[in-house]
Amino acid sequence: MMRGKWIILAFIALLCAPGWAGAVSEDDFDLDTTEDLIELCTVPTSDPLSGEAVSFCYGFLVGAYHYHMAENAGPSGSPMVCIPDPRPPRAMVLKMFVDYAKKHPEYTNEEPVETWFRFLIEKFPCKP
């Protein structure tokens, strides 16, 4: 009798483990498309991988932006994106990006970094 309860509890634990249930899987972190990125950025908090997904989303977006700024630093630099000062909160920019991506389904299957910079250039262009 006791052994049967342990088997049932072990089975329930396996079903609830990350990667077994939820909208996001480890494969989604490959980010082949803009759609993959939007899925990670908008994963429900009830998903077992929600913390990892949202952190990965922010890391990807911030990392791509910082790389662009580092590549375009210095007197000969020519940045395409100029974030205003004071900077808008990251959560607000993320929401704006998600809204942008949803309004532009033609970018769904493109590289996520391409869609990210289309958004940034449109929303935060550098003044000539």
Side-chain angles (χ1 to χ4, degrees):
M1 183 75 161
M2 187 63 133
R3 182 175 179 203
K5 287 182 183 178
W6 282 109
I7 292 173
I8 291 171
L9 286 174
F11 182 73
I12 291 171
L14 283 174
L15 288 177
C16 294
W20 281 71
V24 175
S25 72
E26 291 181 15
D27 292 338
D28 294 323
F29 289 81
D30 289 340
L31 288 190
D32 295 320
T33 66
T34 297
E35 181 178 25
D36 293 340
L37 178 60
I38 298 303
E39 285 181 22
L40 291 178
C41 295
T42 60
V43 66
T45 56
S46 60
D47 190 289
L49 293 176
S50 67
E52 292 88 344
V54 173
S55 295
F56 190 92
C57 167
Y58 277 114
F60 177 85
L61 298 175
V62 171
Y65 169 75
H66 281 279
Y67 178 79
H68 169 71
M69 295 311 293
E71 278 292 307
N72 291 286
S76 62
S78 181
M80 299 181 290
V81 178
C82 293
I83 304 294
D85 189 25
R87 293 176 183 266
R90 287 181 183 169
M92 184 176 87
V93 175
L94 174 60
K95 182 184 179 333
M96 292 165 48
F97 171 62
V98 168
D99 291 344
Y100 175 87
K102 289 180 179 179
K103 289 178 186 171
H104 293 281
E106 65 271 24
Y107 304 143
T108 298
N109 291 316
E110 289 196 4
E111 292 285 332
V113 73
E114 293 288 331
T115 306
W116 173 232
F117 274 90
R118 278 195 174 109
F119 160 75
L120 288 174
I121 292 166
E122 185 176 309
K123 188 65 183 171
F124 305 109
C126 294
K127 307 279 190 264

